[in-house]
Amino acid sequence: MNDTLTSDVIGRRVEVNGEHATVRFSGIVPPVAGLWLGVEWDNPERGKHDGSHEGTVYFKCRHPTGGSFIRPNKVNFGVDFLTAVKNRYVLEDGPEEDGKEQIVIIGNKPVETIGFDSVIKQQSQLSKLQDISLRNCAVNCAGDKGAIAKACPNIRKVDLSRNLLSSWDEVLDIADQLGHLEVLNLSENKLRFPSGSPSRTGTFPALKVLVLNRTGITWAEVLRCASGWPVLEELYLESNDLFISERPADVLQTVKLLDLSSNQLIDENQLFLIAYLPRLEQLILSDIGISTIHFPDAGTGHKTAMFPSLQYLVVNDNQISQWSFINELDKLPSLQALSCIRNPLTEGSKEAQTTRQLIIARIGQLKTLNKCEILPEERRGAELDYRKAFGNEWKAAGGHQDPDKNRPHERFLAAHPRYQLLCLKYGAPEDGELKLHQPFLLKNQLLTLKIKYPNQVDQKVLEKQLPDSMTIQKVKGLLARLLKVPVSELLLSYESPKMPGREIELENDQQSLQFYSVESGDCLLVRW
């Protein structure tokens, strides 16, 4: 840059030695002669002041050390889109003239070509591009009108993250020329968005995935721009200090995935404003600070009308500490998968396996928890353990084995909304089951089990007492020593008097007897 910069540079995004900033001032800063640029750094620790010098305020920064004065010749204002594409994707001529051997760079892979005219070769290569990454390539604008459409007509996926784009209009100038664009990543561009109704619509006719993480966009700006995304399916808005201020009206109706992670201003009341997006299947709410949720339209045991299509919910890294949060999720009519790691509720003193079983028991339709499939036997074990663990509390609240007398009070039903359903599914817990069971102490119980050998008629039936926390692997080790048979050859299953004629395999060596709901009086079946 020379010393004839105009006021047009104000607001421009720039790069200096790998650090990004926004130009806030251009002019003279006495007593030193010459032109200076005042910049506000993205990283405030990079700066030296707040835009003031010797008592004069030249520009303002959000952070007291966010500003610096820099000479224009030290600043990179970036390049246009097509220049960046050519720099990254097209040929570099070797030392020989055209007609000799040349090197074409496709991605990072060099390909030798011989005997082609370099210009034709370049045009051909650009026209074939469909998926490009220009991350951190200092792209600042579209360039000459129509040049992108002419050179790269087939682009469908573009990563423009961490560039020098400064406004949404610059994005539109690029997108206008990419009629097949389906995926666009604009993360880490500090963009100015339109304050009024967008001047151009229909710019993204094919766009399905849009990533706007750390762009500074507001919710109002999302809704204003969304009319230009008629078929959008995935929208990523991480780390924008978003406050959901209004309900989407006639926009975002096609969105299936919405990522609102790391927007700490969002609370449950704001979430209700997006609760009626008809096609929303995946909602990512990691690290938003949420601790409570309540669907006011649904009472105990009923489903909410909110989030009608939501199948996958992510609430990792939040402040969830109460089981009432998990209970409410059972009201979501379509929920099948949940991820809720690194919350006080899941990181407390209880064993991770116990917490997992409690979540499974409380959300009846859940099929995947923390990316791990819930198999039918695991659900059965979790629900039976839950039924026993809170059986005494159920009885104290008015629960009874006789259906005509089974009337637990509302406080118990609110704390355990699925308990009555589990009693219908498995039968009400008998008094004998409850005497030895206390919540979260089931693992301390000793089981009295018979051990039979269906394929070895000459082996005597044994009776052993084993802790129900004992893993299948350790049970096999014990039996291997008793029977003098290699552990690898042993196959275990069990049968229960409560389920005559049914045999349940103990196939996972890392799980415990309790996991499979093995009880005193059951019979272990050992084969080899």
Side-chain angles (χ1 to χ4, degrees), residues 451 453 459 462 464 475-485:
I451 301 176
Y453 315 95
Q459 287 280 359
L462 293 179
K464 283 281 185 183
V475 174
K476 285 183 176 180
L478 173 66
L479 292 170
R481 290 192 294 274
L482 286 172
L483 301 169
K484 295 181 172 52
V485 175

Side-chain angles (χ1 to χ4, degrees), residues 6 23 200 217 246 256 279 342 362 369 376 496 525:
T6 68
V23 178
R200 285 181 278 179
I217 195 169
E246 56 185 302
K256 295 180 180 180
R279 301 186 187 179
R342 295 185 297 274
R362 288 173 184 265
L369 178 57
S496 170
L525 303 175

Side-chain angles (χ1 to χ4, degrees), residues 174-469:
I174 295 171
D176 270 336
Q177 304 179 60
L178 300 174
H180 301 294
L181 187 64
E182 296 179 1
V183 180
L184 177 60
N185 186 350
L186 294 167
S187 297
E188 299 175 79
N189 287 283
K190 300 294 184 182
L191 298 171
R192 295 191 307 276
F193 291 88
S195 56
S197 299
S199 56
R200 285 181 278 179
T201 58
T203 304
F204 300 93
L207 191 67
K208 293 180 180 179
V209 179
L210 179 58
V211 187
L212 294 170
N213 300 336
R214 295 176 291 284
T215 58
I217 195 169
T218 68
W219 183 250
E221 290 165 347
V222 169
L223 299 187
R224 278 198 290 272
C225 295
S227 60
W229 316 327
V231 297
L232 191 70
E233 295 181 358
E234 298 183 15
L235 179 59
Y236 298 84
L237 298 169
E238 180 182 331
S239 302
N240 283 305
D241 291 327
L242 284 178
F243 182 94
I244 301 175
S245 53
E246 56 185 302
R247 185 171 169 175
D250 301 322
V251 293
L252 305 182
Q253 302 300 298
T254 59
V255 168
K256 295 180 180 180
L257 183 153
L258 181 60
D259 185 352
L260 297 171
S261 298
S262 301
N263 288 290
Q264 295 281 334
L265 300 177
I266 292 177
D267 60 25
E268 64 173 315
N269 291 321
Q270 294 175 52
L271 294 177
F272 295 154
L273 293 174
I274 60 169
Y276 297 97
L277 291 174
R279 301 186 187 179
L280 185 62
E281 297 176 357
Q282 299 184 55
L283 182 58
I284 305 175
L285 301 174
S286 295
D287 187 34
I288 66 169
I290 195 169
S291 61
T292 61
I293 192 77
H294 174 64
F295 301 110
D297 66 325
T300 301
H302 294 85
K303 298 297 183 183
T304 177
M306 299 182 183
F307 299 103
S309 301
L310 187 65
Q311 298 177 22
Y312 181 34
L313 177 64
V314 180
V315 286
N316 300 333
D317 301 293
N318 280 295
Q319 301 301 316
I320 301 165
S321 60
Q322 301 297 321
W323 284 108
S324 58
F325 189 103
I326 303 299
N327 291 340
E328 285 294 303
L329 298 185
D330 189 53
K331 296 179 179 180
L332 292 168
S334 303
L335 188 68
Q336 296 183 14
L338 173 68
S339 185
C340 60
I341 58 176
R342 295 185 297 274
N343 280 281
L345 186 69
T346 58
E347 299 295 306
S349 58
K350 295 185 292 296
E351 287 187 0
Q353 186 61 42
T354 301
T355 302
R356 177 178 171 85
Q357 287 184 283
L358 286 170
I359 293 173
I360 292 170
R362 288 173 184 265
I363 306 178
Q365 71 274 28
L366 209 60
K367 295 181 179 178
T368 303
L369 178 57
N370 298 331
K371 298 186 178 181
C372 183
E373 184 183 2
I374 301 168
L375 298 174
E377 289 304 323
E378 182 179 14
R379 172 161 292 286
R380 177 183 170 278
E383 291 179 343
L384 283 171
D385 281 350
Y386 184 87
R387 167 182 157 275
K388 288 183 286 189
F390 295 97
N392 286 321
E393 190 177 332
W394 167 74
K395 286 195 68 177
H400 200 281
Q401 286 88 355
D402 184 344
D404 294 332
K405 299 178 181 179
N406 182 25
R407 297 185 182 88
H409 56 57
E410 288 298 320
R411 191 167 65 253
F412 176 84
L413 294 177
H416 305 281
R418 295 195 72 232
Y419 197 89
Q420 293 285 74
L421 183 65
L422 296 181
C423 288
L424 289 173
K425 186 175 181 179
Y426 300 106
E430 300 293 332
D431 290 344
E433 292 181 80
L434 303 178
K435 288 179 182 177
L436 299 176
H437 294 271
Q438 297 176 8
F440 313 121
L441 296 179
L442 302 181
K443 62 180 180 295
N444 298 327
Q445 183 185 357
L446 282 176
L447 304 176
T448 302
L449 304 173
K450 291 180 180 179
I451 301 176
K452 294 182 181 179
Y453 315 95
N455 298 339
Q456 312 290 329
V457 292
D458 56 333
Q459 287 280 359
K460 186 178 178 181
V461 175
L462 293 179
E463 189 171 279
K464 283 281 185 183
Q465 281 196 322
L466 302 174
D468 69 355
S469 60

